[in-house]
Amino acid sequence: MKKEKKPIIETTNLSKIYQSGNLNVRAVDNATISILPGEFVALVGPSGSGKTTMLAMLAALLTPSEGQVIIDGYDLSQMKEAKRVQFRRKNIGFTFQSNNLVPYLTVQENVEMMLRINNQLNTDGRKKVVNLLTRLGLDDRMRYLPSQISGGQRQRVSIARSLIHDPSVVLADEPTASLDTERAYQVTKIYADLIHENGKAGIMVTHDLRMCKYVDKIIQIEDGIISNIIEGRGTIDEFISCA
Amino acid sequence: MAFYLAFKEVWRNKGRFFLFSLVIALITTLVLFIAALSEGLALANKEFLEKLDAELLIFQENVDYVASSSRIAKSKINDIQRIDGIDKVGPIGFSNGTIVFFDGRDDLNVSLIGIEANQPGSPPVISGVSFQIDRGTEVIIDKNIVNQTGIKVNDKIVLKTLQGTDEVYNEFDVIGITDGRQYLYQPSIFIPYRTWEQIRPQVNISSSLIETTSNVLAIKLEENQDQGLIQENIVEQVDGIDIADVKTAYESLPGYQAQQSTLNTQRYFTLLIGILVIGGFFQIQMLQKIPQIGVLKAIGVANPSVAFAVVYQIIIVTTFGVFLGAFISFGLSAAFPPGIPIVFTGNSVVIAIVTLLLIGPIGGLVSVRLAISVEPLIALGLSS
């Protein structure tokens, strides 16, 4: 009998309510999702739909107003700030839109930083960094500063940084926003491959539906409400082609 | 982690941080030079009194401890000498004169200090011999005169003084050289008291014959005496005098307090400017780094690490700048001619350097506060 996988990310009736004058604005409204290990999910929707707010709550950067976020068995909605910092450091890997590398650290040092802050930077850790950067085609750029490499290379460094400390969840906020189409596909594919290979739960916020060709699930969000969840290769491809 | 981030940023932006260190170095140079000038001017004013081998000085009553206004009859020496606990009493007379050169060198104004041999006020000799008698045409010169004129032991010098309205020239033999003993911004020449009485500038040529007086009396106490108690005894037993310890005496020198407070005010303002410059630089830098700090916090770098990274960076840059400034200051001072009153003393230099090292972190406190307040949500383009 096949053992059923336990979700790494689970949200239940998750809401974020902002006060705007006398109005309560529900940036995310009753969102319930679950993401399994090795599953790569795209969070899509128009600007202002609440996808980044949703990502921030999943990343332990924002406390939910209502509902629950459980990642790896930890309830983030109950967690204190100091614990959340520790949790992010250990359990979450981040890729942001752009300019997210430390400009005065080399490519290698940027990736090593995640091991450094997790006290895992030893000989094995350094080897792991070199191997991952080599895998991402950056072996000849390891001593370069972020300003000395291209935008696509910077995003690949960022992907390496988000995975090197073996987090259970990897999150990406518009990782291809500043890239041309070819590089955007390249980066998304690498991201998807690494998530699948390493059994991570991955969420990518994107406004570019073409990038969804590598994901396993699309969660569509509109006005803070999850309006559609699209699963299965065929359905996803059909959704992309219709968009 | 904090030091690693701070050091890497400084190292990889050496040009920018070096330029800023240069600004700190210039502030340091300014502070050290003001401190050295303050010390030098104070020393040029008080050096003789500060180095005096006496604990107390007697002035005429109601002259606010101003030696040039004070006249003490020599007969008071015996009254004071009788008081228990007093070892020696020496009369000291102050006047001005000029060393005149006949070989084209510039004349040099000096303080003429009349002292009695082996009494308080008599200077230690670092070359040559001391006075043996209280009259004669022998003088001991301050080493500042040697530095400025090249006069040496056994040379003859001519001193010009005013007697009435006449310029009078007297020749003296240099028998010894003492260490720096400037008084009222002039190097000193020590003259046997009786001789000093004769050559000191006077309104009338005959006025020195009326009564033997000195400007002040220097008192050396016997060992292990209670200075306060003896001071009280002197005041009780001798009329018409005021008594001061050496520090009070030199702090009462004309212009001393005004000069020191002016220079100290300049020094404090320079330090304040330093705080503002350092604070401004790091604040601007921090404003430019807000998105970067947001990312660091988002990926799990803790607030204390971010804050300490800023503090370490300030310490690295300030320390480098301060020591560079100190090095520049000492280098420049070595090139100055001997007459310029710039004196670096260990105490004032250490105080200035420690203060400058402290103003860095103080100036940077605002940027530390800003670094702490940056929210990780910035990384996602959100704010709470």
Side-chain angles (χ1 to χ4, degrees):
Chain A
M1 189 180 155
K2 195 179 170 186
K3 194 180 171 188
E4 199 172 310
K5 280 185 184 172
K6 203 176 162 198
I8 292 183
I9 301 174
E10 271 184 299
T11 72
T12 316
N13 299 327
L14 189 65
S15 298
K16 184 68 192 176
I17 305 164
Y18 292 111
Q19 192 86 29
S20 175
N22 292 328
L23 286 176
N24 281 340
V25 179
R26 300 184 79 89
V28 174
D29 194 3
N30 275 313
T32 299
I33 59 169
S34 69
I35 299 168
L36 298 169
E39 197 171 29
F40 186 28
V41 176
L43 200 55
V44 300
S47 292
S49 58
K51 52 191 190 299
T52 303
T53 304
M54 177 83 176
L55 192 78
M57 287 192 284
L58 296 176
L61 290 171
L62 203 56
T63 318
S65 306
E66 292 168 2
Q68 244 187 349
V69 185
I70 293 174
I71 293 182
D72 243 359
Y74 293 96
D75 185 352
L76 301 190
S77 37
Q78 302 297 319
M79 218 176 253
K80 293 209 167 120
E81 183 51 34
K83 197 84 185 157
R84 290 152 76 91
V85 174
Q86 271 182 18
F87 183 83
R88 284 202 298 273
R89 187 186 305 158
K90 201 173 163 212
N91 299 65
I92 294 176
F94 270 112
T95 303
F96 304 97
Q97 274 192 29
S98 58
N99 296 325
N100 66 87
L101 298 176
V102 181
Y104 48 83
L105 297 182
T106 62
V107 163
Q108 188 172 352
E109 287 165 347
N110 260 290
V111 180
E112 282 176 356
M113 192 171 65
M114 284 315 297
L115 298 180
R116 194 179 284 276
I117 62 176
N118 280 297
N119 294 321
Q120 292 170 7
L121 186 60
N122 48 28
T123 313
D124 288 345
R126 287 197 170 90
K127 273 186 200 160
K128 205 170 136 189
V129 171
V130 172
N131 290 341
L132 184 55
L133 286 172
T134 305
R135 160 94 196 268
L136 292 169
L138 294 164
D139 46 331
D140 58 343
R141 294 286 182 273
M142 286 195 280
R143 306 253 175 235
Y144 284 50
L145 292 171
S147 59
Q148 296 167 322
I149 58 176
S150 69
Q153 287 171 330
R154 278 200 286 270
Q155 283 307 66
R156 278 186 273 158
V157 177
S158 189
I159 289 170
R161 187 181 67 184
S162 72
L163 287 159
I164 194 66
H165 57 299
D166 202 23
S168 43
V169 173
V170 283
L171 303 172
D173 180 33
E174 307 267 15
T176 59
S178 58
L179 304 179
D180 59 46
T181 308
E182 192 187 334
R183 285 207 174 85
Y185 276 125
Q186 195 186 37
V187 164
T188 314
K189 182 170 188 317
I190 290 169
Y191 205 51
D193 289 347
L194 289 169
I195 285 167
H196 292 142
E197 279 172 31
N198 295 291
K200 312 294 176 197
I203 298 182
M204 172 176 70
V205 165
T206 184
H207 65 280
D208 186 352
L209 291 180
R210 292 172 305 168
M211 297 306 130
C212 296
K213 71 186 264 192
Y214 300 110
V215 304
D216 309 304
K217 190 192 276 183
I218 298 174
I219 298 174
Q220 205 174 8
I221 187 163
E222 282 169 28
D223 297 328
I225 298 166
I226 294 176
S227 56
N228 201 2
I229 295 180
I230 302 132
E231 287 180 273
R233 191 72 268 149
T235 324
I236 289 173
D237 289 342
E238 193 182 331
F239 177 78
I240 295 169
S241 61
C242 292
Chain B
M1 184 68 195
F3 185 78
Y4 173 81
L5 288 174
F7 179 76
K8 286 285 180 184
E9 184 169 13
V10 173
W11 187 248
R12 297 258 157 79
N13 295 284
K14 290 189 278 287
R16 176 161 36 114
F17 283 100
F18 178 72
L19 281 177
F20 184 61
S21 286
L22 270 185
V23 174
I24 296 174
L26 290 176
I27 291 169
T28 304
T29 307
L30 196 57
V31 169
L32 284 178
F33 266 100
I34 292 172
L37 185 65
S38 170
E39 199 70 40
L41 286 172
L43 201 67
N45 206 353
K46 70 179 182 181
E47 195 174 21
F48 167 70
L49 290 179
E50 195 176 37
K51 290 182 176 174
L52 202 60
D53 57 338
E55 288 85 14
L56 297 170
L57 286 163
I58 305 283
F59 294 80
Q60 187 180 348
E61 196 174 30
N62 301 325
V63 296
D64 295 330
Y65 308 120
V66 176
S68 58
S69 308
S70 169
R71 298 285 181 276
I72 304 278
K74 237 186 149 188
S75 56
K76 301 267 188 207
I77 292 179
N78 293 333
D79 299 341
I80 294 167
Q81 190 78 66
R82 282 191 211 104
I83 296 167
D84 284 345
I86 291 178
D87 182 19
K88 289 177 178 176
V89 182
I92 301 175
F94 300 102
S95 62
N96 297 311
T98 305
I99 304 176
V100 182
F101 297 98
F102 299 99
D103 57 2
R105 279 182 284 175
D106 290 338
D107 294 350
L108 181 68
N109 291 326
V110 292
S111 290
L112 299 179
I113 302 178
I115 46 102
E116 282 189 352
N118 303 314
Q119 293 298 333
S122 180
V125 167
I126 57 173
S127 173
V129 294
S130 289
F131 296 128
Q132 298 305 317
I133 53 170
D134 290 334
R135 62 176 73 236
T137 58
E138 296 172 339
V139 295
I140 293 170
I141 60 170
D142 174 339
K143 78 167 182 190
N144 290 298
I145 295 176
V146 177
N147 294 340
Q148 290 177 49
T149 64
I151 293 170
K152 49 192 186 302
V153 174
N154 295 328
D155 281 358
K156 287 188 185 303
I157 58 169
V158 174
L159 282 176
K160 180 179 77 179
T161 55
L162 286 175
Q163 303 295 334
T165 55
D166 298 334
E167 289 182 344
V168 176
Y169 295 83
N170 293 289
E171 192 175 75
F172 291 89
D173 297 312
V174 177
I175 61 161
I177 295 166
T178 182
D179 54 357
R181 301 250 159 182
Q182 301 166 87
Y183 181 69
L184 297 180
Y185 310 108
Q186 295 180 134
S188 304
I189 291 188
F190 296 89
I191 301 175
Y193 196 82
R194 294 276 173 80
T195 310
W196 176 82
E197 279 195 314
Q198 289 166 11
I199 69 156
R200 70 187 167 97
Q202 291 162 86
V203 177
N204 301 306
I205 294 170
S206 60
S207 64
S208 65
L209 304 174
I210 299 167
E211 192 187 8
T212 305
T213 63
S214 64
N215 292 115
V216 296
L217 299 176
I219 295 175
K220 183 157 181 58
L221 305 180
E222 288 172 356
E223 279 182 21
N224 304 319
Q225 295 296 322
D226 181 344
Q227 188 174 312
L229 185 67
I230 292 176
Q231 216 165 322
E232 282 173 22
N233 290 341
I234 294 172
V235 171
E236 274 175 23
Q237 295 177 37
V238 183
D239 293 334
I241 58 153
D242 277 335
I243 188 162
D245 57 26
V246 169
K247 187 167 184 280
T248 308
Y250 66 67
E251 284 179 353
S252 304
L253 286 167
Y256 181 88
Q257 296 285 12
Q259 177 198 78
Q260 289 301 301
S261 58
T262 305
L263 288 166
N264 283 334
T265 306
Q266 279 181 27
R267 192 168 11 170
Y268 299 142
F269 265 101
T270 312
L271 288 172
L272 181 66
I273 290 166
I275 291 174
L276 294 176
V277 169
I278 293 171
F281 173 84
F282 282 103
Q283 182 71 356
I284 290 167
Q285 189 180 247
M286 191 54 63
L287 287 169
Q288 291 171 338
K289 286 195 327 189
I290 283 176
Q292 190 193 113
I293 289 174
V295 169
L296 284 175
K297 289 190 181 183
I299 64 175
V301 176
N303 244 340
S305 295
V306 173
F308 276 109
V310 180
V311 173
Y312 287 140
Q313 205 171 74
I314 293 169
I315 290 172
I316 292 169
V317 175
T318 311
T319 306
F320 181 73
V322 167
F323 283 100
L324 182 66
F327 184 74
I328 292 170
S329 304
F330 298 135
L332 282 175
S333 68
F336 283 167
I340 294 182
I342 296 282
V343 176
F344 291 100
T345 61
N347 204 24
S348 67
V349 168
V350 168
I351 289 172
I353 286 180
V354 170
T355 312
L356 285 159
L357 289 175
L358 286 176
I359 65 167
I362 293 169
L365 279 180
V366 181
S367 51
V368 172
R369 191 166 168 268
L370 178 63
I372 291 171
S373 69
V374 171
E375 291 185 32
L377 279 172
I378 294 269
L380 292 172
L382 295 174
S383 75
S384 61

